[in-house]
Amino acid sequence: MMAVTKPRNESQAPQFAGNFDAEDGHVVDVEVLIIGAGPTGAAAAIHAARSGFDTLMVDAAEFPRDKTCGDGLTPRAIHELESLGLAEEITSGYRNRGLKLHGFGASVTAPWPDSAFGAVGSAMPRKTLDQLIVDAALRAGARLWDGTYAQAVRLGDRGIEEVSVKRGARQVCVRPKVVLVADGVRSTFGRILGRTWHRGEVYGIAARSYCSSSFHDEPWIHSHLELRDELGVIQPGYGWIFPLGNGDVNLGCGALSTDRRPAKVNTKKLLQHYAAHQQTEWELGEPRLVTSAMLPMGGAVSQVSGPNWALLGDAAACVNPLNGEGIDYGMETARLAVELITDNIGDARSWSRLTLKDSWPALLRERYGKAFLLARTLARALTHPKFLPAAGPLAMRGPLGAKLMPAAARLMGNLVTPEDEDLVARTWRASGLAMGKLRRHSPLWS
Ligand SMILES: Cc1cc2nc3c(=O)[nH]c(=O)nc-3n(C[C@H](O)[C@H](O)[C@H](O)COP(=O)(O)OP(=O)(O)OC[C@H]3O[C@@H](n4cnc5c(N)ncnc54)[C@H](O)[C@@H]3O)c2cc1C
């Protein structure tokens, strides 16, 4: 965490967070500054530029850049990409129809439900996908400074007044009206602003790889819920094979963890074991580009906004706790934030009316609170070593499985319905666990 230094006269002078240094005098004024140009930041840039705002994205990486991910795009993500004008370009290369879940001696096929989001999913390597969205943002009129690290802020009465960015050897001072922080899971810039991750809640650790496969254009994504290590012990997570339609599949595995019950898993090793297990069936080549990452999930972070700034996407832990998917939520939060800003400042574009401090977390809670708490509660149960071996066979087989599995597939596809909430809540209560109690005590963008 960067040091926070305060000037002597705190009541009048602005506060500095981080090593603020714009001595060489480069000052740039913008309306919307976006930190991070992944799917969340680039989608925010498209919406902001389309709304007529002078928009600048800064990203520490040089584009095109890779990102550790399963590359899966749910119908919910495709729906959002449609509003960005990009869905056709993506689904014309590869499309999938739903999810096949395997484990405990059974397989369940769960087509994407015909929801308001449509029933078409896809998958695309992040290096390609993220560049597509960035290009669309540039076409919409936003600017990108890649290779540029946002490292400090100057805070005043109206929130962030200046951001110091390091662009190559140059230090530049950006003076924004509003800052959208989309700097991903570690949220280095968000942390300067006080963003706190609650590790007592469920989080994920996951690894991905690319493997050549004869079945690279199979129209279903596959998840293996019975994920065992080389000693045969069931792990609290799942393995995935997401066909990409380009000769490769994205193969990976993730485990769920909490501070109290940390998953003692080497995910890269587990991935090799899982790949070896699936090798014959999928005619897999050797796993390449194996990388791993952590994932805060289900809104388990606090301090996500100030008067003129808001955290979006992964930075705000907008990731489904059951499957680690967050591209859809990232792009949605991008759209919602720009809508909120536009509403706040009105037609007169009165920036002094901007008040995101309370309204942003309230909006996140309204949109995602229920579904995230539900998924987080189930995910927490999975971290109990005895839960999955006992519940897995019941859930995958028999009459309960027939009801639960389609609901689980919807939960995993971020397509949860009110009926699913009822069903899971009832199952949860029937198993004797107090969901209400957990809900009240769970931090959620608070
Ligand atoms: C193993 C794994 C598998 C996953 N599988 C899926 C999946 O199949 N489907 C799915 O929907 N989601 C998946 N996810 C989650 C998904 O990757 C994230 O939800 C998604 O990347 C969020 O996008 P983002 O734009 O918020 O963040 P990111 O894509 O991480 O982008 C953040 C950007 O911010 C930049 N940045 C960071 N700090 C700074 C700074 N200080 N200054 C300037 N720039 C900065 C970074 O360089 C980066 O480009 C997976 C995650 C993992 C770890």
Side-chain angles (χ1 to χ4, degrees):
M1 172 91 68
M2 286 173 144
V4 176
T5 47
K6 288 184 181 166
R8 271 189 211 125
N9 185 347
E10 285 187 11
S11 60
Q12 287 165 10
Q15 291 181 1
F16 301 82
N19 180 20
F20 200 96
D21 174 15
E23 275 172 4
D24 52 3
H26 300 284
V27 178
V28 175
D29 287 292
V30 294
E31 288 183 302
V32 181
L33 172 64
I34 298 169
I35 295 167
T40 306
I46 296 174
H47 291 296
R50 279 184 186 169
S51 304
F53 297 127
D54 174 24
T55 303
L56 172 66
M57 297 176 275
V58 299
D59 198 296
E62 306 265 355
F63 276 72
R65 63 108 179 83
D66 187 20
K67 155 81 178 76
T68 301
C69 190
D71 302 333
L73 297 167
T74 60
R76 193 167 177 152
I78 297 297
H79 179 72
E80 212 53 39
L81 286 160
E82 215 160 80
S83 76
L84 304 177
L86 294 169
E88 177 60 28
E89 199 169 344
I90 292 162
T91 56
S92 61
Y94 167 76
R95 50 174 64 201
N96 57 48
R97 298 176 6 214
L99 177 64
K100 290 196 182 211
L101 290 165
H102 311 278
F104 306 103
S107 286
V108 179
T109 299
W112 300 124
D114 203 5
S115 70
F117 300 114
V120 174
S122 186
M124 181 178 257
R126 286 291 299 275
K127 200 166 179 175
T128 315
L129 176 76
D130 291 15
Q131 185 66 51
L132 272 184
I133 311 176
V134 160
D135 286 344
L138 299 178
R139 283 199 301 278
R143 283 173 290 159
L144 169 68
W145 292 354
D146 59 354
T148 301
Y149 185 72
Q151 59 181 20
V153 294
R154 192 192 295 271
L155 297 166
D157 288 344
R158 64 167 195 88
I160 295 178
E161 299 197 336
E162 295 176 349
V163 176
S164 167
V165 304
K166 191 150 174 38
R167 199 177 179 206
R170 283 171 65 193
Q171 203 82 37
V172 182
C173 171
V174 183
R175 290 196 304 219
K177 302 285 189 206
V178 62
V179 181
L180 297 177
V181 184
D183 58 351
V185 63
R186 291 188 182 277
S187 194
T188 50
F189 192 79
R191 270 155 49 195
I192 296 174
L193 295 166
R195 180 254 208 191
T196 310
W197 169 15
H198 300 284
R199 277 173 174 245
E201 297 300 319
V202 168
Y203 60 90
I205 44 176
R208 73 96 220 255
S209 68
Y210 292 106
C211 304
S212 62
S213 168
S214 312
F215 303 100
H216 67 99
D217 53 2
E218 143 84 5
W220 299 91
I221 63 171
H222 292 250
S223 293
H224 293 89
L225 302 182
E226 190 181 346
L227 183 63
R228 292 179 186 269
D229 65 12
E230 70 263 37
L231 300 174
V233 178
I234 294 181
Q235 299 299 306
Y238 77 109
W240 71 78
I241 300 181
F242 293 173
L244 294 167
N246 66 353
D248 279 345
V249 296
N250 182 313
L251 179 147
C253 60
L256 294 163
S257 205
T258 66
D259 258 5
R260 247 227 231 134
R261 281 185 296 280
K264 297 183 184 88
V265 179
N266 177 336
T267 49
K268 288 187 178 175
K269 221 166 134 191
L270 190 61
L271 182 148
Q272 296 290 352
H273 182 68
Y274 172 56
H277 208 251
Q278 298 298 325
Q279 199 274 329
T280 310
E281 192 177 334
W282 284 82
E283 297 178 6
L284 296 174
E286 278 300 306
R288 314 185 312 274
L289 301 168
V290 182
T291 54
S292 64
M294 285 173 104
L295 278 158
M297 297 166 151
V301 295
S302 47
Q303 188 74 356
V304 293
S305 56
N308 72 340
W309 57 269
L311 266 58
L312 320 177
D314 271 20
C318 289
V319 174
N320 183 326
L322 282 178
N323 61 8
E325 289 188 357
I327 299 172
D328 40 12
Y329 290 123
M331 293 187 296
E332 278 180 21
T333 55
R335 176 171 49 75
L336 292 171
V338 175
E339 283 170 7
L340 187 62
I341 292 164
T342 314
D343 281 357
N344 262 213
I345 64 173
D347 290 342
R349 302 247 150 155
S350 169
W351 288 100
S352 57
R353 284 166 48 185
L354 195 61
T355 51
L356 302 177
K357 174 87 185 111
D358 298 323
S359 55
W360 180 240
L363 184 59
L364 290 177
R365 278 193 289 273
E366 179 202 317
R367 293 289 172 132
Y368 306 118
K370 239 176 157 184
F372 276 10
L373 281 177
L374 187 68
R376 218 159 78 182
T377 307
L378 279 176
R380 174 179 281 272
L382 288 169
T383 66
H384 284 275
K386 288 186 182 148
F387 181 83
L388 195 56
L394 278 177
M396 288 293 290
R397 299 198 293 248
L400 183 62
K403 276 196 136 186
L404 264 186
M405 275 302 110
R410 286 192 290 274
L411 267 172
M412 293 185 81
N414 298 352
L415 300 164
V416 71
T417 64
E419 293 76 37
D420 297 335
E421 285 169 15
D422 274 2
L423 177 64
V424 178
R426 268 187 279 123
T427 310
W428 194 251
R429 277 195 296 271
S431 68
L433 294 158
M435 186 150 171
K437 207 171 164 194
L438 278 173
R439 284 187 164 188
R440 274 200 304 281
H441 296 294
S442 290
L444 197 64
W445 304 292
S446 49

